[in-house]
Amino acid sequence: MALDPSDLAILRRRVRPLVTEELVAEHRADPFGTGGGHSPALVEVLHFLRRNPDPARPRYLVLRGGEPPAWRVARRAPVPTDPVVPVGATTYAAREDAEHAVFLLRLADYELGPER
Amino acid sequence: MSAEPTNPGWPPGVMGYVDRPSAAPGETVAVHVSTDAAATWTADLVRLLSADLAPEGPPFREAAVEAVPAVEREALVQPTPVGSYGHAPAHPRLSALADGLTITLEVAPTLLHDGRQTIVAHGDPAAGAGLALVLDDDVLTAAVAGATVSAGQPVTAGCWYRVTIAITGEALSLVQEPIGTREANRFALRPDGDTTVTATAPAAPVGAPAAAPLLFGAATVGADGVPQGCFTGRLGPITLTAPGDDAPLAHWDPAAGIGRDGVATPSRLDDRGPLGLHATLVNRPLRGVTGSRWDGTQHDLRHAPEQYTAVHFHRDDLSDCAWTPQWDLALPAELESGVYAVRVRAGAHEDRIPFVVRPPRGAARADRADVLFVLPTNSYLAYANDHVATDSPRVQMLMRRVPQLDELEVYRHAHREFGSSLYEVHADGSPIALSTWRRPILTMRPHVHLFNARAWQFTGDLQLVDWLDRAGRRVDVVADIDVHREGAALLSRYRCVMTGSHPEYVTGPMLDAFEGYVAGGGRFLYLGGNGLYWVTGYDPEDDNIVEIRRWGGTEAWTAAPGEYHLASTGEMGGLWRNRGRAPQKLTGIGFIAQGLDAASGYRARADADPRAGWVLDGVDDELFGLTGTLGGAAGMEIDAVDATLGTPHQTVIVATSEGHSDDMLLAREAVGMTSAAPGGARNPRVHADLVLVPWPGGGGVFAPGSITWAASLADAEYDGPISKIMNNVLDRFVSGAPLLEDA
């Protein structure tokens, strides 16, 4: 990973201990925090992942298309102006499911997760 | 860039633009279209009545204008000439290089390792005639036919050099000398080795024909107008001299164009030499930027032009797509004022190009509408074609979700030849300070891009249009430029004037117009959040181009030191608040917080002046506005009162929002010192104030202080609390009855 020392310290000290099975389940149940908001632990983990601290990690996007609409996960190409790159072949019927899929990909990117 | 048909959602599409944001009935609008989707395209005129917001909001509605017959035109794939450069008539000496010529110029490259960038060229020495100064990767090289000399020493980005190219009948030499003040250069010390270097080679130069233009910042310009080899960086004064002469043959000086109103002709780089070989600057390289001699004591280009002797070129500048117009759309003389679009079709693809049909120019008409809606077209330009959601991780923090792209977004993300927004930077990291109407503005469509764009900019304002239409209220519509040009005289023809949901970018004359209107008895509905915020200027040669300089606010970039003044007008840019014109002084409220993820509702104030009770007639719930296209009437960017910034004494706070999330954060300028400023769920300053401001003379202001106000109008079958309040306010404002009900 290409994290700078400050981000590496944040990852080890704060973020890694927060990623439990319960946290992942919380995100799966309500990826957007609309039902009363996310727990402080999930908020902190999402802040870390969303600001893309490691520039070598993919920058994810969600593509919407078709009729009825369906969603799939993609990422930016290394050269930003090149076409986006699909990630996997799964199509999601709900926007929330695509959001959770990205969450799981990001956890894997940073080697986070209850089993690690 | 590649064009992969297998890339999900890659439409060949059809795209277009019109030549101005606003036109009157009887006038003509030029339509420019590019497509490869079919052999021909067809187009007609539609009136836009609602954006496509289903299921969260109203469905799409438009009405074809039968009085304008549809047209069909040959489909053209129109090239877009991206990159700024200059071209000047060639001095005769350039065609007689063997007689000897010296070129001296100041240059500060800002983007290294970007291939071969041409700084000056006449003809093409590689093809046998002419000269060129090139930045190859990170090394300056001079060339004439048959000879090349390289400085050898890499330049340091952001630092100034004096470069001297001396050409004789026998030799070519290049001198690269570090210059510039500590203040003007990015670094106080150059890396070891970055000192004066000289290189010489034998040469038998051949001049290019006199008909060839002298180019600044590009190697060639094709027949299609597309420049090649564009340079990114600053050029200072450029001088041609003959050996042994004192007086220059030509001397292009960026400071020459600076006067009491800034740079009056930004497209011209004046030659102070005897032949007046003025250069034409294409695609608006940025003027009003510091040169090598800026010493940090001067900040206003008008007062010290000699410190602003530079032009900043960018290989990604765009001020005009310059597509061939193919339809002169003649607007019928009886066409009703409103928001319209040119609807273009090619194959299975469509594009809708919005513009405003304003009321007829000139004196008041007997049958004018009671209400004037000022569509915030400057703000559409500011956000035009923005890529912030895909390019900036910061946005995900604000939006609290992964950016979502649909077909149009995928296309726009990849097709950056249509330029970017004022929320982005150029390839060299310098600010994008100019935005032009002369390009497809793919973010200004009756179509939602990104989830929060259900209530963002044009889609937010089309919800106002939809509500007004369904309420049966006839409204005249103008664009920002109309208010700028015609002032309070235009507004005073109307019983009330309303803004859009996010009128963020306004000029001084626009503020004069709104203030004069209210002082003269006019009734003003400021229906946005974060409005009347940024100092904006129109390009003096083309008011389809706006300029800003960001500093002191909540901003996506910050102007460089010494560059807070607009080149377009000379005035200081930044926030109107920092020009002594905080929006609180007129509307009672001003920007306090933003959070792009969700919205909340308002609670009626128990302590409000009961004479303003009519505002909430029919609103039974103390807490209201909790639903809408984006989930609530108070959201995205919100405004609050502030007596220190000039909220008038007579302001009545009718309701205040509550229940915001922690991701609704204070504006940067609301926080002076570093502090643990909590998020909106726990910060009492984070709220919107819904106010009524009666003004002496019978005028006044109604302002709910929220962008998402417009997105709650359709609630409850257009009969929810927000709709009721709007009806109460418009009815009273139009009726002429006093803003405060007698007890």
Side-chain angles (χ1 to χ4, degrees):
Chain A
M1 268 190 270
L3 288 173
D4 71 26
S6 299
D7 265 328
L8 197 55
I10 289 168
L11 175 65
R12 287 178 180 152
R13 289 167 171 269
R14 294 193 61 93
V15 179
R16 181 163 287 135
L18 295 177
V19 183
T20 61
E21 280 183 20
E22 289 74 24
L23 187 109
V24 177
E26 180 192 347
H27 188 273
R28 182 182 306 114
D30 185 10
F32 299 128
T34 49
H38 287 148
S39 65
L42 184 52
V43 169
E44 176 151 0
V45 171
L46 286 171
H47 274 182
F48 180 83
L49 298 173
R50 282 172 175 158
R51 63 180 171 80
N52 203 60
D54 184 346
R57 296 294 133 198
R59 298 267 294 274
Y60 294 103
L61 305 163
V62 169
L63 303 181
R64 176 185 184 275
E67 196 56 48
W71 288 265
R72 32 185 327 200
V73 177
R75 60 178 173 80
R76 284 177 48 183
V79 175
T81 50
D82 277 348
V84 301
V85 179
V87 174
T90 309
T91 305
Y92 301 94
R95 174 68 178 82
E96 288 79 0
D97 294 341
E99 188 78 14
H100 186 66
V102 170
F103 181 65
L104 295 177
L105 286 167
R106 283 168 163 167
L107 290 180
D109 287 346
Y110 288 92
E111 298 168 13
L112 295 167
E115 68 276 8
R116 288 180 167 84
Chain B
M1 70 195 73
S2 50
E4 312 245 6
T6 57
N7 190 45
W10 184 274
V14 56
M15 303 290 163
Y17 65 97
V18 295
D19 65 345
R20 52 206 165 116
S22 168
E27 295 179 352
T28 299
V29 172
V31 180
H32 311 247
V33 175
S34 179
T35 180
D36 62 357
T40 65
W41 54 265
T42 59
D44 60 354
L45 180 66
V46 297
R47 184 168 182 177
L48 296 178
L49 297 169
S50 176
D52 177 11
L53 298 163
E56 295 89 354
F60 181 61
R61 286 194 303 133
E62 66 183 356
V65 177
E66 306 295 342
V68 175
V71 299
E72 183 171 11
R73 295 286 187 272
E74 177 197 1
L76 302 177
V77 177
Q78 309 231 35
T80 299
V82 178
S84 54
Y85 64 95
H87 62 87
H91 190 283
R93 197 68 175 225
L94 286 163
S95 303
L97 291 179
D99 294 347
L101 180 68
T102 299
I103 304 168
T104 307
L105 56 85
E106 296 185 12
V107 63
T110 53
L111 182 66
L112 306 183
H113 310 296
D114 195 48
R116 170 165 288 203
Q117 306 177 49
T118 298
I119 297 167
V120 179
H122 184 241
D124 182 6
L131 62 87
L133 173 67
V134 167
L135 178 67
D136 232 327
D137 205 36
D138 58 356
V139 172
L140 288 176
T141 303
V144 294
T148 303
V149 288
S150 167
Q153 168 64 36
V155 294
T156 305
C159 292
W160 283 96
Y161 295 85
R162 177 177 298 113
V163 175
T164 305
I165 304 165
I167 304 167
T168 69
E170 296 84 34
L172 169 68
S173 77
L174 171 67
V175 179
Q176 172 181 298
E177 178 192 358
I179 61 167
T181 61
R182 190 186 199 93
E183 290 81 0
N185 285 326
R186 176 182 297 175
F187 300 105
L189 291 175
R190 311 281 178 117
D192 282 348
D194 189 0
T195 57
T196 301
V197 290
T198 305
T200 307
V206 176
L214 178 63
L215 295 179
F216 302 138
T220 58
V221 181
D224 56 4
V226 177
Q228 305 293 334
C230 285
F231 169 64
T232 299
R234 297 190 174 185
L235 263 189
I238 305 159
T239 310
L240 303 183
T241 48
D245 282 3
D246 291 328
L249 303 170
H251 176 67
W252 291 274
D253 181 5
I258 299 173
R260 48 174 277 180
D261 292 318
V263 180
T265 49
S267 72
R268 194 175 85 182
L269 177 57
D270 289 317
D271 169 24
R272 291 197 198 262
L275 297 188
L277 303 169
H278 308 306
T280 300
L281 301 178
V282 179
N283 268 336
R284 290 293 190 282
L286 192 63
R287 308 295 295 267
V289 295
T290 57
S292 65
R293 268 162 284 164
W294 187 68
D295 65 10
T297 65
Q298 304 299 322
H299 295 265
D300 185 338
L301 66 160
R302 300 168 295 183
H303 298 164
E306 71 283 356
Q307 297 205 23
Y308 289 85
T309 54
V311 178
H312 196 141
F313 294 87
H314 308 92
R315 65 156 162 76
D316 49 12
D317 274 328
L318 179 72
S319 69
D320 187 350
C321 277
W323 291 356
T324 303
Q326 292 177 279
W327 184 21
D328 281 332
L329 161 56
L331 300 175
E334 296 306 310
L335 195 61
E336 199 169 84
S337 176
V339 180
Y340 287 77
V342 177
R343 180 172 60 180
V344 186
R345 290 170 162 146
H349 300 276
E350 286 188 339
D351 190 22
R352 285 170 178 76
I353 310 164
F355 67 99
V356 168
V357 173
R358 53 158 295 155
R361 300 181 196 277
R365 296 171 301 123
D367 61 339
R368 75 188 187 297
D370 290 328
V371 180
L372 182 69
F373 180 13
V374 181
L375 201 70
T377 44
N378 290 349
S379 300
Y380 302 158
L381 282 179
Y383 287 92
N385 294 341
D386 87 87
H387 307 91
V388 176
T390 49
D391 290 2
S392 170
R394 157 175 65 84
V395 171
Q396 291 200 34
M397 311 287 283
L398 290 172
M399 286 168 50
R400 298 201 309 179
R401 61 180 61 201
V402 180
Q404 174 180 296
L405 309 185
D406 63 6
E407 257 195 358
L408 181 64
E409 282 302 293
V410 170
Y411 183 93
R412 194 168 67 69
H413 169 60
H415 279 254
R416 306 221 174 186
E417 66 270 25
F418 302 135
S420 300
S421 70
L422 302 182
Y423 285 80
E424 300 167 76
V425 296
H426 290 287
D428 64 350
S430 64
I432 297 178
L434 307 174
S435 177
T436 180
W437 192 261
R438 297 182 190 280
R439 55 173 169 159
I441 299 177
L442 303 180
T443 47
M444 187 187 144
R445 293 294 187 259
H447 169 103
V448 173
H449 62 98
L450 307 176
F451 92 99
N452 63 354
R454 289 198 291 276
W456 191 245
Q457 297 282 295
F458 192 58
T459 54
D461 296 330
L462 280 180
Q463 289 176 78
L464 286 164
V465 169
D466 174 57
W467 181 85
L468 289 163
D469 179 61
R470 290 182 185 272
R473 293 185 183 271
R474 189 177 146 220
V475 169
D476 283 348
V477 183
V478 293
D480 285 340
I481 186 66
D482 297 307
V483 176
H484 173 85
R485 285 183 188 142
E486 297 174 42
L490 169 67
L491 307 182
S492 64
R493 297 178 203 149
Y494 295 87
R495 295 181 183 274
C496 72
V497 173
M498 53 184 277
T499 72
S501 58
H502 195 193
E504 186 178 355
Y505 292 84
V506 291
T507 66
M510 287 176 66
L511 284 183
D512 294 342
F514 295 139
E515 291 164 8
Y517 172 68
V518 172
R523 276 100 187 272
F524 186 54
L525 290 90
Y526 162 50
L527 296 177
N530 181 229
L532 315 184
Y533 189 69
W534 289 107
V535 174
T536 305
Y538 291 108
D539 183 289
E541 294 180 285
D542 182 3
D543 55 27
N544 272 327
I545 300 171
V546 296
E547 178 184 3
I548 62 164
R549 300 293 175 99
R550 299 189 189 280
W551 71 275
T554 302
E555 58 210 19
W557 47 260
T558 304
E563 297 180 6
Y564 293 178
H565 282 247
L566 308 188
S568 299
T569 61
E571 69 189 299
M572 190 171 78
L575 304 189
W576 279 114
R577 163 180 171 158
N578 291 331
R579 293 268 303 272
R581 293 178 93 166
Q584 279 85 349
K585 288 188 178 180
L586 173 64
T587 70
I589 56 175
F591 182 47
I592 188 65
Q594 80 176 10
L596 304 184
D597 63 311
S600 190
Y602 294 82
R603 185 180 296 277
R605 297 275 286 238
D607 59 352
D609 188 329
R611 295 176 298 163
W614 60 265
V615 173
L616 297 183
D617 273 352
V619 179
D620 300 320
D621 297 318
E622 186 183 327
L623 189 60
F624 63 89
L626 295 162
T627 52
T629 316
L630 205 68
M636 296 200 77
E637 294 178 347
I638 55 178
D639 292 11
V641 303
D642 189 335
T644 66
L645 293 178
T647 296
H649 298 97
Q650 69 273 25
T651 300
V652 179
I653 306 174
V654 176
T656 294
S657 71
E658 63 177 54
H660 294 287
S661 77
D662 266 343
D663 286 309
M664 179 67 86
L665 296 169
L666 282 176
R668 208 193 81 173
E669 64 272 14
V671 184
M673 182 64 70
T674 55
S675 76
R682 295 163 289 142
N683 188 332
R685 298 179 64 200
V686 174
H687 63 260
D689 287 317
L690 188 158
V691 300
L692 185 71
V693 189
W695 213 267
V701 182
F702 167 79
S706 160
I707 286 180
T708 58
W709 178 263
S712 292
L713 288 168
D715 261 13
E717 316 283 324
Y718 297 85
D719 197 32
I722 307 307
S723 180
K724 287 185 158 72
I725 293 169
M726 284 286 285
N727 277 320
N728 294 342
V729 172
L730 281 170
D731 286 343
R732 176 155 299 234
F733 276 25
V734 166
S735 75
L739 263 58
L740 294 180
E741 216 156 38
D742 293 327

